Every structure is written in structure tokens, then in C-alpha cells.
Amino acid sequence: MTQAKPPPRGSGPDGSRMGPTRISTLVVAGLAAAALAWLLISTLYYSGIPRLPWLPVVTLAGLAVLEAYAAINTRARIERKPGRDPVNPLMVARFVVLAKASALAAAIFAGFYAGLTGWLFVETTRAALDDRPAAGGGLLASLALVGAALWLERSCRVPERPDDEREQDPRESRPGQR
């Protein structure tokens, strides 16, 4: 007897659906970026590199704040809380794409900053000591953006409704008819 093979991914009706961001994907991306950062910084002569700028740290933190605000606002609009306008489904889809992309990008930044921060704490030079606050701030801002992006993605989910609140399908009221 032969067993039925599952259809290839993407060919069925559910194969092309976008699922929630996997934490394992973010961890692998972060670890790869950390290893790459450590490798790059240890092979290059560190004192020849300019000081770490604070602008990326501020940008990542600002994005984290904006995505956290979008998560709060979107969840309230999806739940139809009083005083909130109804949510535009296309806007929610765009927020999901933004959340997935920024979660992955922030995980890569967090990994890079983690590798850099780790190396800076091993290095004993004055330049490394001066760059530690910017690297640590970048790591914290990147982790905040990962959290805000995952929160925004979760906020865009349609809440489950109990069976008694569910709208009855007209086909369910007339069994046997098509």
C-alpha cells in the first residue's frame, strides 16, 4: 500500500499562508550576526575604526516606540473599543508585514550589537571602553524593537469569538440545501 504524500508547500490553499514569526528564526539570525560581528571586529584593526555613532541607537529606539504605539492602537481598533474608529484590513496587513520585517532586521541588529558588545568587554583599550555605551544601547534598542515588532504582529490577530457571539452563516440555518 502506498501512503498519500502531502502536497508541496505553497501548492495547496494553506501552503501560501503567512504564519507568525518564529522565535527560532530570530535567534538563528541573531546568532549568525553576532558571530559575523565578532569575526569582523577581531580581524580588523579596531583602533582604525571610527567611534560608534549613536544615531542607529536612537533610530532603533524610535522605531520600537512607534511600533509599540501601533500595537496598542491597532489592538484597540480590532477589538472595537469605544471611541476608536474601525480598523482598515489593508492597514492591518501592512502592519503585519512591517512587524515581520522589523522583527527580523532588529534580531540581526541585536546579534551584531551583541557580538560587538561582547568583543568590546574583552578588549581593554581606551577606544573600546568609549564605545561600550553605544554598543550596549544599540543592543537594548534592538531588543526593544524585536519585542515591539512581535507585539505589533500579535496585536494584528483577529480575536477569537465565542460560539454564541459568532454570526450564523445563512447556509447553516437551512441544512440539506445548497
Side-chain angles (χ1 to χ4, degrees):
M1 298 198 121
T2 60
Q3 293 180 346
K5 294 181 182 178
R9 182 167 167 80
S11 66
D14 291 338
S16 61
R17 282 182 45 189
M18 182 170 50
T21 302
R22 295 183 181 150
I23 301 298
S24 60
T25 303
L26 300 178
V27 169
V28 168
L31 289 175
L36 183 64
W38 188 287
L39 181 67
L40 283 175
I41 201 71
S42 64
T43 58
L44 299 174
Y45 190 65
Y46 181 72
S47 64
I49 299 174
R51 293 197 62 199
L52 285 180
W54 280 92
L55 184 60
V57 177
V58 173
T59 304
L60 289 169
L63 287 172
V65 168
L66 289 174
E67 288 194 26
Y69 174 75
I72 293 169
N73 189 28
T74 303
R75 173 54 43 196
R77 291 175 70 183
I78 286 175
E79 291 176 351
R80 298 181 180 168
K81 292 194 175 177
R84 301 287 180 141
D85 293 334
V87 67
N88 181 354
L90 187 56
M91 184 184 68
V92 173
R94 289 176 180 159
F95 277 158
V96 170
V97 172
L98 171 70
K100 289 181 77 64
S102 58
L104 183 59
I108 292 170
F109 271 105
F112 183 82
Y113 275 118
L116 183 61
T117 303
W119 189 86
L120 289 174
F121 276 100
V122 171
E123 188 66 25
T124 59
T125 63
R126 176 75 179 154
L129 185 66
D130 291 342
D131 282 342
R132 286 179 189 169
L139 177 59
L140 292 176
S142 299
L143 292 174
L145 182 55
V146 168
L150 292 175
W151 185 19
L152 176 59
E153 183 180 340
R154 179 142 179 98
S155 295
C156 290
R157 292 182 182 175
V158 177
E160 294 290 328
R161 294 189 299 178
D163 289 337
D164 57 346
E165 289 182 14
R166 187 173 57 106
E167 296 174 11
Q168 183 135 3
D169 188 3
R171 293 174 287 185
E172 291 177 3
S173 62
R174 294 176 275 146
Q177 291 183 351
R178 291 186 174 223

